């Protein structure tokens, strides 16, 4: 063992002094000094290498931290930019109609997607460059050349107004509850079904059908003395009715009592009739919960005026009538609606007359007197049919006057108490006839009849009506004459390339009130 130690000491001495100069000390003092010096040098090398590794680790950690901070700042900054822009929703549009859209036209008639993207980046800059507002940034962030790109966008009018329809349904569901509170709309739907049945029945009733009811009058079998007791009647109410019809329905119904709006669109082309701007890369999320038509119809009934609903701000006054007929002037829309309502009321009133034997007896008695005056007793059935149809028409005119001029109610199906026009007043509708009209205790008002007509419209037609009327009314707001619904943004997606330190990042973010990527 001792020999082995001496050999080791000799080897160390040889390595340190060289082979030729190797000398073994007589004692171990010098050897121990050399051993200590070698040990101290090894520690220095070890510590130096350890510090180098630590410096590398710390540098890597700092770089990684800067990269992570940069990535976090870019993501949060982009999100903040999008959030800030969508927080700038059109206040007028929301206040009037509850719709959430960003006006991408910025008060002009032209959609400006570039300005919208610039706005997002500007708002994001407050997070990406805190030093601009007196703060400090742990990492320098720069935008790469050509680094911003619009990847997707949904406009209010895309896919025939899917975004508008969805928001309308969300509004109505929030107001009424899911599936609740639409009883009125369902009642109107039931009334519309009944009205359709009445119109089909009316088509089945011809003059020959009515004449058949009066074939057994027996006037041909009366003796001369009985004929002498019949008072001849010169005036045929049916002739007066024909004269009334020549005046046109607006004058016949409204006369001097009603006021007619002369308003029109004055060259404005509504959304439904023009080529609109359209989004890219995204599609709006549609309403999936059902009752869409009922929600749209109820929304129209609650937000837009009609003839009896008070004037609008300006522009078209009869807006529910526009939703039904789609013409560019109030008078034309009202005229077409009155024709529709007149047909409905005629069918209902005629069905009632055919079920009331007392009124049929009145008609036959009048027809007999007219036939005696004409010396043509064989014409009693034809005269009776003409008078019966004229009576149904005259009653229908009073119904419309009650609805429009008195804002009264008329039931879809009448009984004896609801009937207004006596047969003798048929020859003087503008005088005696007008004094006979009265509102029923229960029934439908004019606005409800319009709601019934709206039921026949499809989802697309109702949505287009909402868009048209919303844009028309928004343009009446001070400073909003250039407002365009097809410049209103519902959702947006963008890509942005930025350098954080020496690292380059490309982020894609999307945000909207509701959307679905393609």
């Amino acid at each position: 063992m001792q020999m082995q130690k001496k050999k080791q000491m000799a080897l160390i001495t040889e390595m340190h002094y060289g082979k030729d100069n190797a000398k073994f000390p007589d004692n171990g003092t010098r050897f121990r000094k050399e051993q200590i010096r070698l040990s101290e040098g090894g520690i220095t090398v070890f510590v130096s290498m350890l510090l180098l590794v630590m410096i590398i680790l710390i540098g890597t950690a700092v770089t990684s931290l800067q990269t992570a901070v940069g990535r976090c700042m870019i993501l949060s900054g982009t999100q903040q930019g999008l959030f800030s822009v969508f927080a700038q929703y059109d206040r007028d549009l929301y206040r009037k109609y509850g719709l959430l859209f960003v006006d991408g036209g910025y008060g002009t008639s032209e959609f400006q997607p570039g300005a919208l993207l610039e706005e997002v980046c500007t708002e994001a800059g407050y997070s990406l460059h805190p030093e601009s507002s007196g703060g400090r940034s742990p990492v320098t962030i720069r935008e790469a050349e050509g680094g911003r790109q619009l990847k997707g966008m949904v406009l209010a009018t895309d896919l025939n107004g899917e975004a508008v329809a969805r928001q309308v349904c969300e509004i109505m569901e929030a107001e009424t509850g899911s599936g609740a509170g639409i009883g009125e709309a369902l009642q109107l739907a039931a009334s519309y079904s009944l009205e359709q049945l009445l119109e089909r029945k009316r088509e089945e009733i011809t003059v020959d059908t009515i004449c058949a009811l009066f074939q057994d009058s027996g006037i041909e079998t009366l003796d001369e003395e009985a004929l002498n007791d019949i008072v001849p009647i010169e005036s045929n109410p049916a002739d007066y009715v024909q004269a009334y019809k020549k005046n046109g329905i607006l004058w016949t119904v409204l006369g001097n009592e009603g006021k007619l709006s002369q308003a029109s669109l004055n060259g404005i082309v509504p959304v439904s009739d023009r080529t609109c701007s359209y989004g890219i890369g995204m599609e709006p999320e549609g309403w999936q919960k059902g009752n869409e038509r009922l929600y749209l119809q109820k929304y129209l009934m609650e937000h837009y005026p009609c003839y009896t609903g008070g004037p609008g701000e300006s522009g078209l006054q009869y807006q529910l009538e526009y939703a039904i007929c789609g013409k560019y002037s109030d008078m034309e829309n009202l005229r077409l609606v009155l024709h529709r309502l007149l047909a409905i009321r005629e069918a209902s009133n005629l069905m009632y007359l055919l079920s009331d034997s007392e009124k049929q007896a009145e008609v036959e008695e009048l027809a007999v007197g007219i036939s005696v005056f004409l010396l043509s007793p064989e014409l009693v059935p034809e005269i009776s049919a003409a008078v019966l149809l004229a009576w149904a028409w005259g009653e229908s005119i009073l119904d419309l006057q009650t609805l429009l001029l008195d804002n009264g109610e008329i039931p879809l199906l009448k009984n004896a108490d609801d009937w207004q026009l006596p047969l003798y007043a048929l020859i003087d509708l503008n005088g005696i006839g007008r004094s006979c009209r009265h509102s029923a205790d229960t029934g439908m008002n004019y606005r409800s009849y319009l709601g019934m007509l709206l039921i026949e419209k499809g989802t697309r037609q109702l949505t287009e009506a909402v868009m048209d009327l919303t844009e028309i009314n928004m343009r009446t707001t001070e400073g909003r004459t250039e407002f365009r619904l097809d410049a209103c943004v519902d959702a947006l997606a963008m890509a942005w390339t930025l350098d954080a330190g020496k690292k380059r990042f490309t982020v894609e973010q999307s945000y909207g009130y509701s959307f679905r990527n393609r």
Side-chain angles (χ1 to χ4, degrees), residues 78 82 86 113 116-117 120 148-154 280-283 489-496 507-512 515-518:
T78 307
L82 287 169
F86 278 90
L116 193 66
L117 191 59
V120 174
R148 62 183 69 172
Q149 183 180 3
L150 189 63
K151 302 291 288 187
M153 179 175 55
V154 174
I280 57 171
M282 304 171 74
E283 64 179 14
V489 181
D490 180 56
L492 189 68
M494 64 172 292
W496 204 5
V507 295
E508 292 191 16
Q509 291 285 322
S510 57
Y511 187 80
F515 63 89
R516 181 175 68 247
N517 290 332
R518 286 188 187 276

Side-chain angles (χ1 to χ4, degrees), residues 350-367:
L350 183 59
M351 294 296 295
Y352 173 74
L353 286 176
L354 293 177
S355 67
D356 190 322
S357 56
E358 292 185 5
K359 285 185 169 47
Q360 290 178 30
E362 288 185 58
V363 169
E364 185 174 25
E365 183 180 351
L366 179 62

Side-chain angles (χ1 to χ4, degrees), residues 11-26:
L11 180 60
I12 293 173
T13 303
E14 183 179 341
M15 291 175 60
H16 185 70
Y17 295 103
K19 186 173 182 181
D20 297 334
N21 297 321
K23 295 180 180 179
F24 289 91
D26 297 334

Side-chain angles (χ1 to χ4, degrees), residues 89-215:
Y89 58 86
D90 193 307
R91 299 305 195 264
D92 294 326
L93 189 61
Y94 180 75
R95 176 175 53 83
K96 289 184 176 182
Y97 301 107
L99 299 175
L100 285 169
F101 292 103
V102 176
D103 183 9
Y106 291 92
T108 70
S109 61
E110 296 295 330
F111 179 47
Q112 303 178 51
L116 193 66
L117 191 59
E118 179 66 29
E119 182 76 12
V120 174
C121 297
T122 300
E123 295 294 334
Y126 295 112
S127 287
L128 298 178
H129 307 292
E131 64 275 5
S132 63
S133 55
R136 295 182 64 183
S137 176
V139 61
T140 302
I141 297 177
R142 299 177 302 277
E143 180 178 352
E145 185 176 354
R148 62 183 69 172
Q149 183 180 3
L150 189 63
K151 302 291 288 187
M153 179 175 55
V154 174
L155 301 183
T157 54
D158 285 352
L159 296 183
N160 303 310
E162 278 284 348
V164 172
R166 186 202 70 251
Q167 289 200 30
V168 165
C169 291
E170 289 171 352
I171 292 168
M172 300 313 297
E173 185 183 52
E175 289 180 358
T176 63
S178 180
I182 55 174
E184 180 185 355
L186 293 174
Q187 289 177 4
L188 291 176
S191 299
Y192 175 70
S193 299
L194 180 57
E195 179 266 323
Q196 293 290 93
L197 177 62
L198 285 173
E199 288 191 341
R200 286 196 297 270
K201 289 291 186 181
R202 175 66 183 88
E203 291 174 358
E204 297 172 3
I205 299 172
T206 63
V207 174
D208 293 337
T209 306
I210 301 174
C211 287
L213 296 174
F214 300 97
Q215 287 293 344

Side-chain angles (χ1 to χ4, degrees), residues 222-242:
L222 295 178
D223 55 27
E224 185 175 349
E225 183 177 351
L227 286 171
N228 290 334
D229 293 335
I230 298 175
V231 178
I233 299 176
E234 179 179 359
S235 299
N236 185 348
D239 295 334
Y240 286 89
V241 166
Q242 292 302 318

Side-chain angles (χ1 to χ4, degrees), residues 423-442:
L423 184 56
Y424 67 83
L426 193 57
I427 61 175
D428 189 16
L429 276 178
N430 289 329
I432 300 175
R434 287 178 182 262
S435 65
C436 295
R437 66 177 192 249
H438 61 271
S439 176
D441 295 332
T442 59

Side-chain angles (χ1 to χ4, degrees), residues 449-470:
Y449 272 96
L450 294 184
M452 186 178 68
L453 295 182
L454 282 173
I455 288 292
E456 70 181 6
K457 301 294 182 181
T459 299
R460 177 173 177 175
Q461 292 172 301
L462 293 172
T463 304
E464 288 178 346
V466 170
M467 291 193 296
D468 288 352
L469 293 172
T470 298

Side-chain angles (χ1 to χ4, degrees), residues 273-334:
D273 287 343
R274 73 168 184 257
T275 301
C276 295
S277 303
Y278 52 87
I280 57 171
M282 304 171 74
E283 64 179 14
E285 182 179 351
W287 181 254
Q288 305 295 331
K289 297 183 181 180
N291 289 331
E292 187 172 21
R293 288 176 61 191
L294 293 180
Y295 281 138
L296 286 164
Q297 181 244 1
K298 185 172 175 60
Y299 182 86
L300 281 163
M301 295 275 289
E302 290 183 359
H303 288 82
Y304 304 97
C306 64
Y307 182 88
T308 60
E313 296 179 42
S314 62
L316 293 180
Q317 304 294 298
Y318 311 150
Q319 298 191 357
L320 284 182
E321 290 86 343
Y322 172 85
I324 294 168
C325 302
K327 302 301 180 182
Y328 284 19
S329 72
D330 278 337
M331 287 185 62
E332 184 65 9
N333 286 320
L334 183 61

